[in-house]
Amino acid sequence: MSASSELMTRRQTAVARGVANITSVFANYADNAELWDVDGKRYIDFAVGIAVNNTGHNHPKVRAAVEAQLQRFSHTCFHVAPYEGYVALAEKLNKLVPGESAKKTMLATTGAEAVENAIKIARAHTGRPGVVAFRGGFHGRTLMGMSLTGKVNPYKAGFGPFPGEIYHAAFPNNYHGVTEQDAVHDLNELFKSDIDPQRVAAVIIEPVQGEGGFNIAPPSFLKALRAVCDQFGILLIADEIQTGFARTGRLFAIEHSGIEADLITMAKGIAGGFPISAVTGKADVMDAAEPGGLGGTYAGSPIGCAAALAVLEVIEDEALCKRAYEIGNRFKKRLKSLQEDRPELIGNMRALGSMVAVELVQNGDPNQPAADLTKAIVAKAQKHGLIILPCGTRGNVIRFLPPLTISDSLIEKGLSIFETCIFELEA
Ligand code: PMP
């Protein structure tokens, strides 16, 4: 029995069923865009821990920053004995988050926690209860996070009741016949039929839906949303947890639209694998919560702060925003020619920078999702040494999230494996 199979057997017995595994690759060691399992098998990693290691696994500068921090202290709790790393990261994010307004920041640990805090702050600032999110969106697995998430299975099934005053509107999706105008209309209908906009504290949106299938909100839609929010005094929250930190070719995806959000949630790519998250927003909004209302024991851990500051430096030094476009273009070129060969299967290919996905269908029909084939491709890719992830509300999207530090030759090798998987499964 291989070491991986043995571990999988132990895992089946010891770990709760609800904690799913997308692959059965038990990690032993990882370096930049490659990962080796406990049996010594090597994989090209097009997942990087779900859009986390944008600067690659184990970036030497990030590792050095963490090691240096560990030499000093690992934890004091910012509420007990504050430290410079927290303040320095807040200062940096306040500068980097787009928009003219003065900004302030709070740090937490996970993405879901950042979302929870953004909603708390929005409610405290507006004195209103309502929150509007989007169908197909994903905002985490905590009570508020899953309530905002616009997909029942598997995220909400069996976990109710959910908090009140949360509503979902249509997310634009041209491929599935929802135009931008339809989406704006749907939001206005919601305000007529379900909740008075004067009772809405915030609208929360992913500029590109991550788990929902890499659906890109057109910049003009985000502008329209900004206008609706301004009209009714509603705060606009951009959930940049998956889109953030150079992934889409800009530090934040919202920069593609030129709008300023009132609050931005960040996690994942912020610290190259160290658990830290942030909410940055307009200073007066951020200051709405009373002292003691925000925070937590591990919130803004010194190790996470050190890692995040190093990641931000690497993004700048290695020009990773620019590199995200180059990588995205390389993926697009190969995937486009695959789509031309297989139009009945690759129904849609979409990309914003290095956030690239293909939607797999049967008979070229958007309404016939090829979910089983998608699963089979992910499994076959693992056999051939490539880690890719599925996503999408119909389970038929394959997303590509290479580190932004990957070499061209590994991209080409990974894509060749992906093509081989399709050919083998269709043969
Ligand atoms: N928001 C978005 C857009 C996400 O992609 C995720 C994670 N996939 C979350 C929130 C939740 O983050 P975490 O898993 O760190 O709680």
Side-chain angles (χ1 to χ4, degrees):
M1 205 188 219
S2 69
S4 302
S5 323
E6 248 173 64
L7 277 170
M8 191 45 90
T9 307
R10 281 170 55 198
R11 178 249 181 270
Q12 306 288 19
T13 312
V15 180
R17 210 168 56 93
V19 184
N21 295 120
I22 300 164
T23 76
S24 53
V25 178
F26 268 94
N28 183 36
Y29 172 79
D31 180 42
N32 198 7
E34 293 165 284
L35 188 151
W36 286 262
D37 74 9
V38 286
D39 292 300
K41 181 170 171 176
R42 174 259 206 185
Y43 298 85
I44 297 171
D45 190 356
F46 280 178
V48 289
I50 320 190
V52 169
N53 303 95
N54 290 359
T55 50
H57 289 285
N58 242 334
H59 192 291
K61 285 192 179 154
V62 179
R63 205 174 59 218
V66 167
E67 281 168 358
Q69 178 57 46
L70 272 172
Q71 299 287 336
R72 297 171 58 223
F73 58 93
S74 60
H75 175 76
T76 59
C77 184
F78 188 71
H79 310 298
V80 177
Y83 35 87
E84 187 186 354
Y86 191 119
V87 180
L89 182 57
E91 287 169 345
K92 188 106 202 183
L93 292 175
N94 294 342
K95 245 189 235 141
L96 293 172
V97 162
E100 296 288 297
S101 325
K103 304 285 194 304
K104 278 196 171 183
T105 290
M106 64 151 291
L107 302 177
T109 309
T110 66
E113 230 189 319
V115 168
E116 295 275 338
N117 279 286
I119 302 300
K120 280 166 62 174
I121 293 166
R123 283 181 168 168
H125 180 76
T126 57
R128 303 174 178 185
V131 186
V132 176
F134 289 85
R135 287 185 209 116
F138 183 85
H139 299 287
R141 287 183 171 83
T142 54
L143 188 55
M144 179 55 80
M146 73 170 163
S147 305
L148 294 169
T149 290
K151 186 181 180 210
V152 171
N153 249 314
Y155 306 122
K156 298 159 101 145
F159 297 139
F162 304 102
E165 307 273 29
I166 290 173
Y167 301 88
H168 289 89
F171 192 92
N173 188 332
N174 269 327
Y175 184 58
H176 286 282
V178 184
T179 66
E180 195 182 320
Q181 290 72 25
D182 292 338
V184 173
H185 179 73
D186 195 63
L187 182 63
N188 284 318
E189 284 299 302
L190 190 80
F191 290 156
K192 280 190 213 146
S193 62
D194 292 316
I195 183 165
D196 179 350
Q198 306 293 342
R199 283 179 63 78
V200 177
V203 169
I204 182 166
I205 187 164
E206 296 162 88
V208 182
Q209 285 187 331
E211 304 305 312
F214 282 23
N215 308 310
I216 303 166
S220 46
F221 177 70
L222 291 174
K223 282 192 179 123
L225 207 54
R226 179 70 271 180
V228 170
C229 287
D230 289 343
Q231 184 187 349
F232 297 113
I234 298 169
L235 299 180
L236 181 60
I237 304 172
D239 182 344
E240 293 255 14
I241 287 164
Q242 193 151 161
T243 49
F245 298 98
R247 172 58 54 190
T248 69
R250 308 295 289 265
L251 201 56
F252 299 101
I254 200 159
E255 290 174 54
H256 295 281
S257 69
I259 65 160
E260 179 175 5
D262 298 290
L263 296 166
I264 290 194
T265 53
M266 297 159 260
K268 292 187 183 276
I270 190 174
F274 293 87
I276 187 164
S277 62
V279 184
T280 298
K282 294 181 178 168
D284 60 323
V285 177
M286 289 298 295
D287 273 342
E290 290 299 323
L294 307 177
T297 307
Y298 296 112
S301 102
I303 295 169
C305 290
L309 287 165
V311 162
L312 287 167
E313 244 178 74
V314 170
I315 288 174
E316 201 179 331
D317 292 352
E318 298 184 20
L320 293 186
C321 285
K322 182 165 158 272
R323 182 67 187 143
Y325 277 117
E326 290 166 8
I327 292 171
N329 287 338
R330 201 166 265 274
F331 270 86
K332 276 198 282 191
K333 200 165 155 214
R334 279 286 284 273
L335 293 170
K336 186 131 200 74
S337 78
L338 189 64
Q339 187 183 28
E340 277 159 16
D341 282 355
R342 291 275 196 294
E344 76 295 342
L345 172 67
I346 314 258
N348 191 244
M349 194 265 293
R350 41 192 182 257
L352 191 61
S354 277
M355 211 167 165
V356 186
V358 286
E359 183 158 347
L360 306 181
V361 297
Q362 294 166 42
N363 310 311
D365 179 357
N367 294 316
Q368 293 183 46
D372 289 342
L373 185 67
T374 304
K375 255 196 210 145
I377 291 172
V378 171
K380 194 154 254 309
Q382 179 185 333
K383 279 211 171 93
H384 286 301
L386 173 71
I387 302 177
I388 44 177
L389 299 174
C391 64
T393 48
R394 300 165 194 81
N396 65 327
V397 178
I398 289 182
R399 56 181 147 171
F400 301 94
L401 289 163
L404 306 178
T405 45
I406 192 172
S407 66
D408 288 344
S409 75
L410 273 186
I411 296 174
E412 298 299 338
K413 275 187 196 138
L415 282 170
S416 296
I417 295 175
F418 178 65
E419 286 167 4
T420 304
C421 294
I422 290 186
F423 295 142
E424 285 182 7
L425 283 163
E426 285 204 316

